[in-house]
Amino acid sequence: MTTLQTSQPHSCLLADLTKKATVRVAMPADTDAVARVLARSYRALLAKDYEPELLRQVLPLISQANPRLLSCGTYFVVEEDDRILACGGWTDVSPHGAPGRLGVGHVRHVAVDPGVARRGYGALLMERVLASARATQVWDLRCQSTLTGAPFYSALGFESLGRIEVRMPTGVLFPAVQMRRVEPAQEPEDL
């Protein structure tokens, strides 16, 4: 089975985190806590890559917890001491609502609380996201990453397919990076 490719020190960090933090499937009862993580994360972490006026327009749109994601079974939260510190997942439906193709998934609404950013919580979350996708034979994961998140996804084996502009419901264009990670399909006995 394919595993998350990390450096040795990073792997040790994940092992330490798993002693304190738990990753579980999100549920509708997590709506408020997930929305707080999204708002805190995006407000703090996106500021270095986006103009303040653009963030003023898009933060109210991207900082809301999506009820469909919270009940899909493939959206996860990382908790520590009963506090949600990271959230994200994948679906076989595109971010624009189009049905997915067999074996293709889309990483959705990933965020880490800025108070614990760059401490391994995002990697711990994505390890579970990738394992969940593999378990359902999704070998091709797509991601519309923020400019800020692109290096994180690259470190997880996603490749940049180029910059894109995501049209928000208000018509505002939000710069992003289209990314993709393809793993070789495994034979059932290899799983």
Side-chain angles (χ1 to χ4, degrees), residues 6-183:
T6 59
S7 64
Q8 186 58 34
H10 190 69
S11 296
C12 292
L13 180 62
L14 287 181
D16 289 343
L17 277 180
T18 58
K19 294 176 186 172
K20 304 184 298 184
T22 58
V23 182
R24 65 168 174 82
V25 173
M27 57 187 110
D30 297 320
T31 299
D32 292 340
V34 167
R36 281 191 297 275
V37 170
L38 294 170
R40 284 175 44 83
S41 176
Y42 295 157
R43 185 174 41 253
L45 301 177
L46 299 183
K48 73 180 186 91
D49 293 306
Y50 294 94
E51 294 296 324
E53 178 57 24
L54 178 60
L55 288 178
R56 186 189 66 71
Q57 293 177 51
V58 301
L59 285 177
L61 304 171
I62 65 174
S63 298
Q64 298 302 312
N66 182 329
R68 286 189 198 130
L69 290 178
L70 293 175
S71 59
C72 73
T74 57
Y75 193 81
F76 305 94
V77 296
V78 177
E79 281 184 316
E80 187 175 288
D81 299 326
D82 295 322
R83 183 171 161 228
I84 293 177
L85 298 175
C87 54
W90 71 277
T91 64
D92 60 356
V93 176
S94 83
H96 308 291
R101 294 188 350 243
L102 187 63
V104 177
H106 300 271
V107 175
R108 305 288 301 275
H109 232 177
V110 174
V112 175
D113 187 282
V116 296
R118 294 171 187 78
R119 294 188 194 163
Y121 291 90
L124 180 65
L125 171 75
M126 286 303 296
E127 185 175 71
R128 178 70 176 271
V129 169
L130 295 171
S132 170
R134 283 191 301 269
T136 60
Q137 298 187 15
V138 170
W139 310 110
D140 183 348
L141 275 175
R142 316 284 172 91
C143 176
Q144 292 181 347
S145 172
T146 61
L147 302 178
T148 309
F152 169 73
Y153 290 110
S154 290
L156 296 174
F158 284 79
E159 78 171 279
S160 172
L161 302 178
R163 289 187 63 159
I164 60 172
E165 290 186 324
V166 177
R167 183 175 301 279
M168 297 286 124
T170 58
V172 172
L173 295 176
F174 187 69
V177 180
Q178 184 66 49
M179 303 192 81
R180 182 179 188 197
R181 176 186 164 127
V182 179
E183 296 188 46

